[in-house]
Amino acid sequence: DTGVSQDPRHKITKRGQNVTFRCDPISEHNRLYWYRQTLGQGPEFLTYFQNEAQLEKSRLLSDRFSAERPKGSFSTLEIQRTEQGDSAMYLCASSLSPDRRETQYFGPGTRLTVL
Amino acid sequence: AQKVTQAQTEISVVEKEDVTLDCVYETRDTTYYLFWYKQPPSGELVFLIRRNSFDEQNEISGRYSWNFQKSTSSFNFTITASQVVDSAVYFCALSERETSGSRLTFGEGTQLTVNP
């Protein structure tokens, strides 16, 4: 049973560039979540999908951020015109719903550094 | 609004000591779920436990135990006979099933250092 995978693991970019991250959930999981974690803080919710439908977006998700899950499997998170404040760890998680033991399992994260 | 507070920013113990990590939560929902995750230096969040609001029975798993008390809105985590490999950041998290889907609200984490 493979876990959640994320690619790339690290990304360094210059301010103003666009970046895209990919997340592959656990294969049978229908829910997929994106979180952002800055140094010394707990993860903060960004958005989640049930199958291909994006059901909730946080106010943290500005217009420069967009997420997709086109076929209900992998997801991409794109940040346009990156800013230094976007530097963080971007975490993806997946879960199976409805399930009485619904639990989110996390991937290793993508660490973004904006210079 | 939901909130999770982990008042202990850092804890340092010597190997074999017992240590308790505190977690206090706020929610208006009657149905909710509480979680503990471990984040070792590698960065990946590792799931440890999930409890629902209707089950206040304490749980023990090896050296780990959890004490859930609705009366004080607390969900504390105890490691017995700590080991160096327990060194990590530990996060408590809350999911309000009815009002906010399944999003997790995390505390700020407790950095646990176990010294040999």
Side-chain angles (χ1 to χ4, degrees):
Chain A
D1 181 25
T2 55
V4 179
S5 61
Q6 293 186 245
D7 184 68
R9 294 291 306 277
H10 302 274
K11 178 71 177 178
I12 300 174
T13 191
K14 293 183 179 178
R15 190 176 53 184
Q17 298 294 305
N18 298 343
V19 294
T20 300
F21 310 141
R22 175 179 171 126
C23 171
D24 287 88
I26 294 171
S27 59
E28 67 269 24
H29 285 186
N30 56 352
R31 283 195 172 179
L32 186 149
Y33 309 79
W34 286 99
Y35 292 84
R36 181 172 68 186
Q37 185 179 21
T38 53
L39 201 60
Q41 302 295 315
E44 295 175 295
F45 171 81
L46 293 177
T47 188
Y48 90 94
F49 294 83
Q50 177 146 325
N51 300 313
E52 64 276 7
Q54 189 172 18
L55 296 187
E56 189 176 355
K57 292 197 291 186
S58 163
R59 295 174 188 174
L60 291 175
L61 214 64
S62 76
D63 292 344
R64 297 184 297 105
F65 287 70
S66 62
E68 293 183 343
R69 195 183 182 198
K71 297 182 179 179
S73 56
F74 73 91
S75 175
T76 57
L77 177 68
E78 181 183 17
I79 308 174
Q80 296 183 328
R81 305 181 302 282
T82 52
E83 302 173 356
Q84 288 186 327
D86 297 331
S87 294
M89 176 78 88
Y90 290 84
L91 296 164
C92 176
S94 70
S95 70
L96 182 62
S97 178
D99 187 301
R100 62 183 291 273
R101 296 192 61 80
E102 181 179 344
T103 294
Q104 294 180 32
Y105 294 92
F106 284 80
T110 295
R111 183 169 295 283
L112 173 66
T113 302
V114 181
L115 302 176
Chain B
Q2 60 202 64
K3 184 179 179 182
V4 176
T5 302
Q6 295 179 254
Q8 305 149 308
T9 305
E10 296 182 23
I11 299 176
S12 182
V13 298
V14 177
E15 208 170 16
K16 298 185 182 178
E17 284 186 28
D18 299 347
V19 57
T20 295
L21 309 181
D22 297 334
C23 173
V24 174
Y25 62 91
E26 295 176 27
T27 177
R28 295 178 184 171
D29 280 9
T30 55
T31 302
Y32 54 89
Y33 301 86
L34 295 163
F35 301 79
W36 277 96
Y37 285 86
K38 174 182 180 179
Q39 189 173 43
S42 61
E44 187 165 345
L45 280 164
V46 178
F47 166 73
L48 296 178
I49 190 170
R50 171 185 184 271
R51 304 295 287 176
N52 72 54
S53 51
F54 299 110
D55 183 3
E56 289 193 68
Q57 189 173 14
N58 291 329
E59 184 160 338
I60 297 174
S61 176
R63 296 184 298 106
Y64 295 169
S65 61
W66 291 269
N67 182 4
F68 177 29
Q69 292 194 335
K70 284 180 79 171
S71 60
T72 56
S73 297
S74 65
F75 185 43
N76 297 335
F77 173 30
T78 297
I79 302 174
T80 302
S82 59
Q83 300 176 1
V84 173
V85 293
D86 295 328
S87 297
V89 181
Y90 291 86
F91 291 98
C92 180
L94 166 71
S95 173
E96 288 179 334
R97 185 76 186 196
E98 281 138 4
T99 59
S100 57
S102 295
R103 66 157 72 182
L104 291 174
T105 296
F106 286 84
E108 296 196 346
T110 298
Q111 170 73 61
L112 173 65
T113 302
V114 181
N115 299 297

Tab-separated table of all heavy atoms in Angstrom, chain B residues 65-94:
chain	number	residue	atom	x	y	z
B	65	SER	N	-0.097	6.800	25.437
B	65	SER	CA	-1.449	6.784	25.973
B	65	SER	C	-2.066	8.168	25.803
B	65	SER	O	-1.357	9.178	25.737
B	65	SER	CB	-1.455	6.367	27.457
B	65	SER	OG	-0.720	7.282	28.239
B	66	TRP	N	-3.399	8.173	25.723
B	66	TRP	CA	-4.114	9.421	25.489
B	66	TRP	C	-5.235	9.562	26.497
B	66	TRP	O	-5.953	8.597	26.794
B	66	TRP	CB	-4.700	9.451	24.074
B	66	TRP	CG	-3.643	9.542	23.020
B	66	TRP	CD1	-3.121	10.675	22.475
B	66	TRP	CD2	-2.960	8.456	22.390
B	66	TRP	NE1	-2.163	10.368	21.547
B	66	TRP	CE2	-2.042	9.008	21.473
B	66	TRP	CE3	-3.017	7.066	22.505
B	66	TRP	CZ2	-1.196	8.237	20.678
B	66	TRP	CZ3	-2.182	6.295	21.726
B	66	TRP	CH2	-1.282	6.878	20.825
B	67	ASN	N	-5.403	10.756	27.036
B	67	ASN	CA	-6.414	11.058	28.032
B	67	ASN	C	-7.341	12.126	27.475
B	67	ASN	O	-6.958	13.289	27.336
B	67	ASN	CB	-5.734	11.543	29.321
B	67	ASN	CG	-6.740	11.822	30.413
B	67	ASN	OD1	-7.927	11.589	30.263
B	67	ASN	ND2	-6.249	12.318	31.534
B	68	PHE	N	-8.570	11.734	27.141
B	68	PHE	CA	-9.570	12.629	26.547
B	68	PHE	C	-10.573	12.995	27.632
B	68	PHE	O	-11.220	12.114	28.194
B	68	PHE	CB	-10.262	11.929	25.380
B	68	PHE	CG	-11.358	12.710	24.729
B	68	PHE	CD1	-11.360	14.088	24.709
B	68	PHE	CD2	-12.412	12.044	24.113
B	68	PHE	CE1	-12.376	14.800	24.099
B	68	PHE	CE2	-13.436	12.750	23.496
B	68	PHE	CZ	-13.419	14.118	23.486
B	69	GLN	N	-10.714	14.305	27.910
B	69	GLN	CA	-11.670	14.767	28.921
B	69	GLN	C	-12.501	15.891	28.329
B	69	GLN	O	-12.017	17.018	28.180
B	69	GLN	CB	-10.943	15.238	30.179
B	69	GLN	CG	-10.257	14.103	30.946
B	69	GLN	CD	-9.833	14.527	32.343
B	69	GLN	OE1	-9.617	15.702	32.600
B	69	GLN	NE2	-9.707	13.563	33.248
B	70	LYS	N	-13.767	15.590	28.013
B	70	LYS	CA	-14.653	16.602	27.439
B	70	LYS	C	-14.925	17.724	28.421
B	70	LYS	O	-15.115	18.880	28.032
B	70	LYS	CB	-15.981	15.959	27.007
B	70	LYS	CG	-15.858	15.175	25.730
B	70	LYS	CD	-17.175	14.560	25.337
B	70	LYS	CE	-18.106	15.566	24.692
B	70	LYS	NZ	-19.284	14.916	24.128
B	71	SER	N	-14.956	17.408	29.727
B	71	SER	CA	-15.289	18.421	30.733
B	71	SER	C	-14.277	19.570	30.737
B	71	SER	O	-14.625	20.712	31.063
B	71	SER	CB	-15.368	17.789	32.121
B	71	SER	OG	-14.121	17.200	32.457
B	72	THR	N	-13.053	19.263	30.385
B	72	THR	CA	-12.009	20.299	30.346
B	72	THR	C	-11.534	20.575	28.928
B	72	THR	O	-10.567	21.312	28.724
B	72	THR	CB	-10.799	19.876	31.208
B	72	THR	OG1	-10.334	18.588	30.742
B	72	THR	CG2	-11.166	19.796	32.673
B	73	SER	N	-12.207	19.979	27.937
B	73	SER	CA	-11.832	20.149	26.520
B	73	SER	C	-10.349	19.876	26.306
B	73	SER	O	-9.618	20.681	25.695
B	73	SER	CB	-12.171	21.570	26.030
B	73	SER	OG	-13.556	21.797	26.097
B	74	SER	N	-9.908	18.766	26.821
B	74	SER	CA	-8.487	18.444	26.705
B	74	SER	C	-8.292	17.051	26.122
B	74	SER	O	-9.128	16.151	26.306
B	74	SER	CB	-7.790	18.557	28.060
B	74	SER	OG	-8.292	17.589	28.954
B	75	PHE	N	-7.190	16.896	25.437
B	75	PHE	CA	-6.844	15.609	24.821
B	75	PHE	C	-5.330	15.480	24.920
B	75	PHE	O	-4.599	15.771	23.989
B	75	PHE	CB	-7.316	15.587	23.363
B	75	PHE	CG	-7.121	14.268	22.661
B	75	PHE	CD1	-7.423	13.065	23.288
B	75	PHE	CD2	-6.658	14.224	21.351
B	75	PHE	CE1	-7.264	11.852	22.635
B	75	PHE	CE2	-6.495	13.009	20.679
B	75	PHE	CZ	-6.795	11.830	21.329
B	76	ASN	N	-4.873	15.015	26.088
B	76	ASN	CA	-3.450	14.992	26.383
B	76	ASN	C	-2.807	13.672	25.973
B	76	ASN	O	-3.448	12.618	25.972
B	76	ASN	CB	-3.205	15.252	27.861
B	76	ASN	CG	-3.677	16.636	28.272
B	76	ASN	OD1	-3.750	17.540	27.449
B	76	ASN	ND2	-3.984	16.794	29.551
B	77	PHE	N	-1.534	13.740	25.684
B	77	PHE	CA	-0.778	12.613	25.130
B	77	PHE	C	0.431	12.344	26.025
B	77	PHE	O	1.197	13.266	26.297
B	77	PHE	CB	-0.351	13.004	23.705
B	77	PHE	CG	0.584	12.060	23.009
B	77	PHE	CD1	0.585	10.696	23.260
B	77	PHE	CD2	1.473	12.539	22.054
B	77	PHE	CE1	1.440	9.832	22.589
B	77	PHE	CE2	2.336	11.688	21.377
B	77	PHE	CZ	2.315	10.332	21.646
B	78	THR	N	0.559	11.112	26.500
B	78	THR	CA	1.659	10.747	27.384
B	78	THR	C	2.537	9.688	26.727
B	78	THR	O	2.020	8.698	26.195
B	78	THR	CB	1.150	10.236	28.737
B	78	THR	OG1	0.436	11.289	29.391
B	78	THR	CG2	2.303	9.774	29.623
B	79	ILE	N	3.825	9.926	26.775
B	79	ILE	CA	4.801	8.927	26.327
B	79	ILE	C	5.494	8.403	27.566
B	79	ILE	O	6.075	9.177	28.348
B	79	ILE	CB	5.825	9.533	25.358
B	79	ILE	CG1	5.132	10.139	24.133
B	79	ILE	CG2	6.838	8.470	24.924
B	79	ILE	CD1	6.081	10.884	23.191
B	80	THR	N	5.412	7.121	27.755
B	80	THR	CA	6.038	6.478	28.911
B	80	THR	C	7.424	5.961	28.515
B	80	THR	O	7.602	5.457	27.412
B	80	THR	CB	5.164	5.304	29.390
B	80	THR	OG1	3.854	5.804	29.703
B	80	THR	CG2	5.768	4.637	30.621
B	81	ALA	N	8.367	6.120	29.423
B	81	ALA	CA	9.736	5.637	29.175
B	81	ALA	C	10.238	6.145	27.819
B	81	ALA	O	10.523	5.370	26.907
B	81	ALA	CB	9.786	4.113	29.239
B	82	SER	N	10.336	7.458	27.702
B	82	SER	CA	10.672	8.085	26.428
B	82	SER	C	12.007	7.575	25.880
B	82	SER	O	12.904	7.151	26.630
B	82	SER	CB	10.719	9.604	26.595
B	82	SER	OG	11.689	9.963	27.569
B	83	GLN	N	12.110	7.639	24.546
B	83	GLN	CA	13.317	7.210	23.858
B	83	GLN	C	13.777	8.325	22.931
B	83	GLN	O	12.978	9.187	22.533
B	83	GLN	CB	13.039	5.944	23.043
B	83	GLN	CG	12.573	4.765	23.865
B	83	GLN	CD	12.213	3.562	23.011
B	83	GLN	OE1	12.325	3.578	21.791
B	83	GLN	NE2	11.785	2.483	23.674
B	84	VAL	N	15.039	8.295	22.564
B	84	VAL	CA	15.589	9.328	21.688
B	84	VAL	C	14.795	9.428	20.376
B	84	VAL	O	14.573	10.514	19.848
B	84	VAL	CB	17.082	9.063	21.409
B	84	VAL	CG1	17.622	10.032	20.364
B	84	VAL	CG2	17.888	9.177	22.701
B	85	VAL	N	14.308	8.282	19.895
B	85	VAL	CA	13.553	8.276	18.632
B	85	VAL	C	12.201	8.976	18.748
B	85	VAL	O	11.551	9.237	17.728
B	85	VAL	CB	13.327	6.844	18.107
B	85	VAL	CG1	14.631	6.222	17.696
B	85	VAL	CG2	12.588	6.004	19.120
B	86	ASP	N	11.785	9.281	19.967
B	86	ASP	CA	10.534	10.023	20.154
B	86	ASP	C	10.721	11.518	19.890
B	86	ASP	O	9.743	12.267	19.837
B	86	ASP	CB	10.000	9.836	21.579
B	86	ASP	CG	9.599	8.402	21.877
B	86	ASP	OD1	9.159	7.700	20.942
B	86	ASP	OD2	9.752	7.973	23.046
B	87	SER	N	11.945	11.950	19.741
B	87	SER	CA	12.206	13.374	19.478
B	87	SER	C	11.550	13.786	18.171
B	87	SER	O	11.822	13.202	17.115
B	87	SER	CB	13.715	13.637	19.415
B	87	SER	OG	14.333	13.360	20.644
B	88	ALA	N	10.681	14.778	18.242
B	88	ALA	CA	9.908	15.228	17.083
B	88	ALA	C	9.036	16.392	17.521
B	88	ALA	O	8.989	16.743	18.699
B	88	ALA	CB	9.025	14.102	16.553
B	89	VAL	N	8.327	16.965	16.550
B	89	VAL	CA	7.270	17.924	16.873
B	89	VAL	C	5.948	17.164	16.849
B	89	VAL	O	5.671	16.413	15.909
B	89	VAL	CB	7.224	19.089	15.868
B	89	VAL	CG1	6.125	20.077	16.259
B	89	VAL	CG2	8.578	19.797	15.796
B	90	TYR	N	5.148	17.351	17.871
B	90	TYR	CA	3.865	16.666	17.984
B	90	TYR	C	2.737	17.687	17.857
B	90	TYR	O	2.740	18.724	18.522
B	90	TYR	CB	3.757	15.929	19.315
B	90	TYR	CG	4.691	14.740	19.388
B	90	TYR	CD1	6.011	14.892	19.799
B	90	TYR	CD2	4.248	13.466	19.023
B	90	TYR	CE1	6.871	13.818	19.840
B	90	TYR	CE2	5.109	12.374	19.066
B	90	TYR	CZ	6.420	12.563	19.475
B	90	TYR	OH	7.270	11.485	19.514
B	91	PHE	N	1.791	17.365	16.983
B	91	PHE	CA	0.660	18.254	16.733
B	91	PHE	C	-0.646	17.601	17.165
B	91	PHE	O	-0.902	16.437	16.841
B	91	PHE	CB	0.555	18.598	15.244
B	91	PHE	CG	1.656	19.479	14.737
B	91	PHE	CD1	2.750	18.940	14.084
B	91	PHE	CD2	1.598	20.850	14.929
B	91	PHE	CE1	3.764	19.751	13.619
B	91	PHE	CE2	2.605	21.674	14.461
B	91	PHE	CZ	3.699	21.123	13.801
B	92	CYS	N	-1.452	18.379	17.841
B	92	CYS	CA	-2.823	18.013	18.134
B	92	CYS	C	-3.705	18.707	17.096
B	92	CYS	O	-3.412	19.844	16.686
B	92	CYS	CB	-3.163	18.480	19.550
B	92	CYS	SG	-4.824	18.111	20.108
B	93	ALA	N	-4.764	18.042	16.649
B	93	ALA	CA	-5.619	18.621	15.607
B	93	ALA	C	-7.076	18.288	15.871
B	93	ALA	O	-7.391	17.282	16.511
B	93	ALA	CB	-5.195	18.118	14.227
B	94	LEU	N	-7.949	19.142	15.349
B	94	LEU	CA	-9.395	19.018	15.551
B	94	LEU	C	-10.101	19.061	14.206
B	94	LEU	O	-9.746	19.873	13.337
B	94	LEU	CB	-9.877	20.188	16.424
B	94	LEU	CG	-11.369	20.483	16.513
B	94	LEU	CD1	-12.080	19.397	17.303
B	94	LEU	CD2	-11.603	21.840	17.179
